[in-house]
Amino acid sequence: MPVQEHRALATRRDVRSAGAPAAGFLRHYRQGRCIYDEGDEAHFFYEVRSGVVRMSSVLQDGRRLVDSFHTEGQLFGLEPARSHTLCAETLSDCNIVSYRWNGVEAKMSTDTMTSNWLFSYAMQTVTTARNHAILLGRKTATERVAAFLMEWVGRSPDPTVIVLAMSRQDIADYLGLTVETISRTFSKLERESLIQMTTSRLIEVRNRSALRRLSA
């Protein structure tokens, strides 16, 4: 039985997404659940309806690389190979729609809507990878953290408040830095009045233009 079939915690039901070529199965996952692991067979791909999903992999030397974070409306898990190359885990309670890849693949050659939908997904994946590469290309830790915060400003319904679902370790593994560097950089940005750390995961943006300049 595929891993995603037994790790969801609610009864699945058919749903239809705007632009999707077929109905998918909506499942609820609690925080900290694995949707699929590295090496699992890639029978499904997924759409986030609510919550935050972390994509990661473990390198040969044991270090973890966080590849991306997915939020509402984003797709993930459509692999070019027969198995998943990343691990997908929930950072919060999530509602996830799963689509069976075989049914979608069979319709691609004859259904323009299906082809366009998957092309949009592919462009989203390319954009996400490009943005992450640009982020890792920042010269300083401050620039990387500022760019990360601006990314989450763009995902937040309130551009003055960022609610982070991920831990400092997640951020460090995403930015290629250490946890200590992440903590020092947050403290530096707070001293300079660019942000205010209400809690470790609730950040008030005090000077968005200065933060944007740092991330440019």
Side-chain angles (χ1 to χ4, degrees), residues 19-35:
F25 296 118
L26 178 67
R27 297 175 172 89
H28 178 74
Y29 293 83
R30 290 182 182 170
Q31 180 182 5
R33 295 286 171 167
C34 179
I35 301 169

Side-chain angles (χ1 to χ4, degrees), residues 83-107:
S83 59
H84 289 293
T85 56
L86 298 170
C87 174
E89 297 169 287
T90 60
L91 293 182
S92 63
D93 286 358
C94 292
N95 288 314
I96 306 290
V97 179
S98 61
Y99 299 97
R100 185 172 289 277
W101 169 231
N102 306 2
V104 174
E105 184 180 32
K107 298 178 69 176

Side-chain angles (χ1 to χ4, degrees), residues 45-215:
F45 62 101
Y46 305 84
E47 177 190 0
V48 181
R49 284 294 179 88
S50 66
V52 182
V53 174
R54 178 187 64 213
M55 309 294 294
S56 64
S57 63
V58 178
L59 304 178
Q60 290 185 347
D61 60 7
R63 289 178 299 153
R64 187 187 66 163
L65 169 68
V66 173
D67 178 78
S68 56
F69 301 101
H70 295 281
T71 53
E72 182 179 350
Q74 294 187 316
L75 302 176
F76 65 94
L78 184 55
E79 302 277 1
R82 293 182 179 272
S83 59
H84 289 293
T85 56
L86 298 170
C87 174
E89 297 169 287
T90 60
L91 293 182
S92 63
D93 286 358
C94 292
N95 288 314
I96 306 290
V97 179
S98 61
Y99 299 97
R100 185 172 289 277
W101 169 231
N102 306 2
V104 174
E105 184 180 32
K107 298 178 69 176
M108 287 178 62
S109 60
T110 58
D111 189 329
T112 302
M113 185 181 73
T114 300
S115 299
N116 290 342
W117 189 60
L118 289 178
F119 179 76
S120 297
Y121 168 84
M123 291 300 97
Q124 172 193 302
T125 302
V126 169
T127 300
T128 299
R130 182 194 63 193
N131 290 344
H132 192 203
I134 292 172
L135 193 61
L136 294 177
R138 307 287 179 179
K139 292 182 179 179
T140 70
T142 302
E143 290 172 342
R144 293 188 196 188
V145 171
F148 173 78
L149 291 175
M150 285 305 301
E151 175 185 344
W152 283 89
V153 165
R155 299 190 192 209
S156 174
D158 182 349
T160 65
V161 177
I162 303 170
V163 180
L164 297 175
M166 66 288 298
S167 66
R168 297 285 176 89
Q169 186 65 63
D170 289 331
I171 299 171
D173 291 345
Y174 181 65
L175 297 179
L177 301 169
T178 65
V179 174
E180 293 76 16
T181 299
I182 296 295
S183 296
R184 285 197 302 270
T185 304
F186 276 144
S187 296
K188 176 178 182 289
L189 294 174
E190 189 170 32
R191 287 195 306 272
E192 294 174 354
S193 299
L194 273 67
I195 63 172
Q196 177 68 48
M197 301 291 298
T198 304
T199 67
S200 62
R201 298 196 182 190
L202 181 61
I203 302 173
E204 179 185 349
V205 180
R206 306 291 295 278
N207 192 336
R208 188 167 53 164
S209 59
L211 201 63
R212 183 184 295 111
R213 285 195 298 271
L214 272 177
S215 66

